[in-house]
């Protein structure tokens, strides 16, 4: 198993792709070693319905059938829940059972394979691919079928679903299970795998999942991966998972216009990937070999958009650029007559932060708002996933002043992010931005707590006429008071007038 398919980090365990990297041909055929990739085209809708009639026989007139639970379009009738449950339990007793088994699968690569008993009828009514395998025009006649490209654990999960409608997914087999579900055309199981992956998605596995989602042609999962990669680009690019992606995925990430990070971070990530790729190919890790494995991907990095200092301290000393390239880039920064460069010259757009303002007005009084190490806090929830990037705070009502501030984001008492920083206010009622080190993913329909502890001029502006619900673009925010607030901030008034976020 290649290193590229060996990691997909989640909070508590590894999400692991299949041991054999799938190909598009493998996904569109039930057995690449036995039949050509066009095998699935043998099964038309009409053929499948004829198979239903043949297999169901006497029960066809009872109004009960259970055809292809993964594909509602193939269901010609609907069971009553009780009857469906009884039949599912009966079939479940036969799962991985030698009793009356009429076919055996040898699943997995040589040396790590497992023999699995099965029953053709149950598989055929749950998957059009298995129907073609056992009852189609070129039906398989062998009693033992080898499937080297599917992991045994994933195949058992697939069979368990076909026998009992039960789906048991685990982080270390979910990608292999998705591959099996795609190969044998079981959409409901594939959808469950995608939902599981979306739930597990975070910055450290987003790049690997992007690669897999593109391979499996799962556009919704791809979109979710891009949301995370764009908003948390620095975390995603510095993750171990980034070094495990394939070259086409590397290229599509590096060309991304909305990556929300500095270009020196992109360049460093590309170098890290090149080093890992050299090791995968058994090559010495040299500047020349790193250039070779990167190919044109090196020229997708927008090196001229770095500051001169970033370039001089980073890319210029990396040894991966030629002396002529280094010289030309220095001249591009400094000379009036700039040389032509092979690198893109236009800075990435990144993401524009959005602001949710929860007060309708602001004010100040001579005896408030005061800061003496007390906490201003508020709780909020949203109706879709967002990434909290920072807070907008009020500053001094008595002229220019500097504040030290500790900001914090918590969920159910667990600290997700905090930052100790400073900001300078100009004496106006404007809000002043303070940022977390990295944007933090916030899930929908869950209350989070944001807090700020300020140290500085005791008299500042404060908000009033607060709103419990605020519509900000496509995101709806709800606010409620926090028990952490010891300085008077609540829904109706106080500090923390703005939440800064990406969506």
């Amino acid at each position: 198993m290649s290193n590229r398919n060996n990691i997909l980090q989640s909070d508590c365990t590894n999400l692991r792709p299949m041991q054999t990297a799938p190909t598009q041909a493998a996904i569109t055929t039930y057995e690449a070693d036995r039949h050509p990739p066009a095998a699935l085209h043998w099964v038309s809708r009409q053929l499948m319905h004829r198979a239903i009639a043949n297999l169901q026989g006497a029960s066809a007139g009872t109004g009960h059938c259970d055809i292809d639970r993964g594909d509602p379009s193939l269901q010609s009738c609907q069971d009553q829940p009780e009857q469906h449950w009884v039949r599912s339990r009966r079939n479940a007793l036969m799962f991985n059972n030698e009793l009356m088994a009429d076919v055996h699968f040898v699943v997995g690569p040589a040396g790590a394979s497992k023999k699995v008993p099965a029953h053709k009828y149950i598989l055929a009514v749950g998957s059009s691919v298995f129907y073609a395998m056992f009852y189609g025009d070129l039906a398989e006649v062998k009693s033992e079928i080898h499937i080297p490209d599917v992991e045994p654990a994933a195949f058992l999960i697939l069979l368990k679903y076909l026998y009992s409608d039960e789906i048991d997914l685990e982080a270390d087999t979910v990608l292999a299970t998705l591959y099996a579900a795609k190969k044998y055309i079981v959409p409901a199981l594939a959808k469950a795998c995608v939902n599981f992956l979306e739930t597990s998605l975070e910055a450290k596995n987003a790049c690997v999942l992007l690669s897999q989602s593109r391979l499996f042609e799962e556009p919704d999962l791809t979109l979710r991966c891009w949301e995370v990669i764009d908003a948390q680009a620095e975390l995603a690019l510095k993750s171990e998972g980034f070094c495990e992606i394939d070259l086409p995925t590397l290229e599509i990430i590096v060309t991304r216009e909305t990556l929300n990070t500095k270009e020196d971070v992109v360049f460093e990530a590309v170098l890290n990937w090149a080093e890992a790729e050299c090791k995968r190919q058994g090559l010495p890790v040299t500047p020349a070999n790193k250039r070779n494995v990167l190919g044109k991907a090196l020229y997708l990095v927008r090196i001229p958009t770095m500051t001169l200092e970033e370039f001089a301290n980073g890319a210029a000393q990396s040894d991966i650029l030629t002396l002529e390239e280094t010289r030309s880039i220095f001249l591009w920064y400094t000379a009036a007559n700039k040389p032509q460069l092979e690198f893109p010259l236009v800075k990435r757009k990144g993401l524009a932060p959005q602001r949710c303002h929860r007060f309708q007005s602001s004010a100040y009084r001579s005896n408030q708002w005061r800061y003496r190490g007390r906490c201003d806090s508020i709780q909020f929830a949203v109706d879709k996933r967002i990434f909290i990037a920072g807070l907008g705070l009020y500053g001094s009502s008595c002229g220019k002043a500097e504040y030290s501030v500790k900001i914090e984001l918590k969920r159910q008492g667990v600290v997700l992010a905090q930052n100790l920083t400073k900001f300078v206010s100009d004496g106006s009622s404007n809000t002043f931005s303070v940022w977390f080190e990295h944007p933090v993913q916030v899930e929908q329909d869950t209350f989070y707590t944001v807090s700020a502890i300020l140290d500085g001029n005791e008299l500042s502006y404060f908000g009033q006429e607060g709103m419990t619900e605020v519509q900000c673009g496509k995101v709806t925010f709800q606010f409620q008071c926090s028990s952490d607030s010891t300085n008077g901030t609540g829904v109706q008034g106080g500090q923390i007038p703005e939440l800064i976020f990406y969506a």
Side-chain angles (χ1 to χ4, degrees), residues 140-405:
E140 187 70 67
V141 296
K142 295 179 180 179
S143 61
E144 189 171 281
I145 299 171
H146 291 261
I147 307 178
D149 61 326
V150 176
E151 292 187 15
F155 192 74
L156 287 172
I157 293 171
L158 170 69
L159 261 58
K160 185 174 183 179
Y161 172 70
L162 294 178
Y163 276 77
S164 67
D165 289 335
E166 295 179 11
I167 299 177
D168 294 325
L169 298 176
E170 297 180 0
D172 59 347
T173 57
V174 63
L175 279 172
T177 304
L178 177 59
Y179 171 64
K182 286 281 189 175
K183 177 174 181 177
Y184 293 102
I185 311 181
V186 185
L189 180 59
K191 182 175 178 59
C193 292
V194 171
N195 291 340
F196 186 98
L197 292 170
E198 287 187 359
T199 302
S200 307
L201 180 61
E202 54 186 345
K204 63 184 178 181
N205 62 28
C207 295
V208 174
L209 280 178
L210 175 68
S211 175
Q212 297 290 320
S213 68
R214 294 177 64 240
L215 176 67
F216 290 128
E217 298 182 341
E218 287 290 344
D220 291 341
L221 180 58
T222 300
L223 180 61
R224 280 288 295 122
C225 290
W226 279 127
E227 289 175 359
V228 174
I229 293 170
D230 283 343
Q232 298 179 304
E234 185 171 348
L235 292 175
L237 296 182
K238 289 184 176 181
S239 68
E240 292 183 15
F242 180 81
C243 295
E244 300 299 325
I245 60 178
D246 55 279
L247 181 59
T249 303
L250 172 74
E251 292 175 348
I252 198 172
I253 290 176
V254 176
T255 57
R256 185 77 171 172
E257 186 70 28
T258 47
L259 285 181
N260 197 42
T261 191
K262 297 164 63 176
E263 203 64 26
D264 60 330
V265 173
V266 178
F267 181 81
E268 188 64 30
V270 168
L271 291 190
N272 291 338
W273 183 92
E275 180 178 337
E277 183 65 15
C278 285
K279 293 177 181 178
R280 281 191 288 269
Q281 296 186 20
L283 301 173
V285 182
T286 64
N289 284 337
K290 287 195 283 187
R291 279 185 69 102
N292 287 336
V293 299
L294 282 170
K296 67 177 184 179
L298 176 62
Y299 295 98
L300 300 176
V301 183
R302 308 184 186 194
I303 293 178
T305 67
M306 300 179 189
T307 66
L308 177 57
E309 182 179 4
E310 289 169 346
F311 173 72
N313 293 330
Q317 299 183 45
S318 67
D319 294 329
I320 198 170
L321 301 177
T322 65
L323 289 176
E324 180 60 28
E325 287 170 340
T326 303
R327 173 182 174 277
S328 295
I329 294 172
F330 269 123
L331 288 175
W332 191 89
Y333 281 113
T334 58
N337 186 18
K338 298 183 183 300
Q340 285 190 338
L341 300 178
E342 296 185 64
F343 300 93
L345 306 178
V346 180
K347 189 178 180 66
R348 299 178 197 274
K349 293 180 180 178
L351 293 178
Q354 301 181 52
R355 295 173 182 266
C356 174
H357 199 93
R358 67 187 191 93
F359 296 125
Q360 300 181 67
S361 64
S362 61
Y364 71 91
R365 299 185 186 125
S366 60
N367 61 345
Q368 64 182 111
W369 203 263
R370 296 180 180 273
Y371 303 103
R372 296 175 181 174
R374 292 189 293 260
C375 178
D376 289 290
S377 182
I378 193 72
Q379 289 191 331
F380 73 95
V382 290
D383 64 346
K384 64 177 295 184
R385 291 188 189 97
I386 64 169
F387 298 85
I388 290 292
L391 307 177
L393 301 176
Y394 289 122
S396 171
S397 57
C398 302
K400 184 176 180 180
E402 182 180 74
Y403 288 89
S404 296
V405 58

Side-chain angles (χ1 to χ4, degrees), residues 2 7 32 95 154 156 169 244 250 431 485:
S2 68
I7 70 110
F95 166 65
L156 287 172
L169 298 176
E244 300 299 325
L250 172 74
T431 59
S485 189

Side-chain angles (χ1 to χ4, degrees), residues 95-112:
F95 166 65
N96 201 20
N97 193 333
E98 288 285 356
L99 183 63
M100 295 189 290
D102 54 358
V103 66
H104 288 80
F105 296 94
V106 179
V107 186

